[in-house]
Amino acid sequence: MPELDGLREHGWLAVAGSPVTADGLPGALAEAELLLARAQALGRPVAAADPLGFDALVAPGAAAGFAERVLAPLRELDRAHDRELVATLRTWLAHHGGWDRTAAELGVHRSSVRHRIGQAERALGVDLADPETRMRLWFALRWS
């Protein structure tokens, strides 16, 4: 997007989300946060427009239901134990599993990131070494 690249030339790292109506603003914030994490990981502007048309394959209600179901164990641990597993997982995935970059962005030690990611794996009952699992979780985070 030329507008975003122009902002980058002036020192701004910008993102552009999908157009939404006023009642869609809460979801737009979550999308903007994911886009920003992705832009920071890539070091370049990011727009929500999907040139592959993937988002059109999944109905918004089904996507939201999937996200809610998949992320429920992490959200419960976050609420019950004042953890930040969802934010850590989102940042870790945006940084392609980079411990140091995730730790720096979150302002924690890399061993804290490793511990949180281990907790997320156990809570979800998944293996984050599997790229398909990471992809599914990225979409759940994106659709939440």
Side-chain angles (χ1 to χ4, degrees):
M1 231 177 169
E3 298 86 2
L4 299 182
D5 291 331
L7 289 171
R8 181 74 174 149
E9 292 171 10
H10 294 291
W12 292 86
L13 182 59
V15 299
S18 304
V20 297
T21 60
D23 62 336
L25 288 176
L29 177 60
E31 179 187 50
E33 289 171 349
L34 275 174
L35 290 171
L36 181 58
R38 188 168 158 214
Q40 289 169 332
L42 295 172
R44 63 173 173 77
V46 174
D50 182 4
L52 301 177
F54 187 78
D55 285 340
L57 296 175
V58 182
F66 169 78
E68 185 176 325
R69 185 177 69 257
V70 168
L71 298 174
L74 298 185
R75 293 196 193 287
E76 180 58 35
L77 286 172
D78 282 354
R79 278 190 301 274
H81 303 287
D82 196 29
R83 296 184 184 160
E84 297 185 20
L85 300 180
V86 173
T88 301
L89 180 61
R90 175 181 286 124
T91 305
W92 184 78
L93 288 171
H95 288 292
H96 308 289
W99 305 110
D100 292 327
R101 290 170 56 199
T102 303
E105 185 170 324
L106 295 174
V108 299
H109 193 272
R110 67 181 281 152
S111 62
S112 295
V113 174
R114 286 183 181 274
H115 180 70
R116 290 177 187 176
I117 294 300
Q119 288 178 312
E121 276 187 311
R122 286 187 297 281
L124 297 171
V126 299
D127 178 4
L128 289 172
D130 177 12
E132 187 169 332
T133 297
R134 292 191 309 270
M135 176 202 62
R136 290 173 190 260
L137 286 170
W138 180 256
F139 279 105
L141 289 162
R142 187 171 185 277
W143 291 333
S144 68

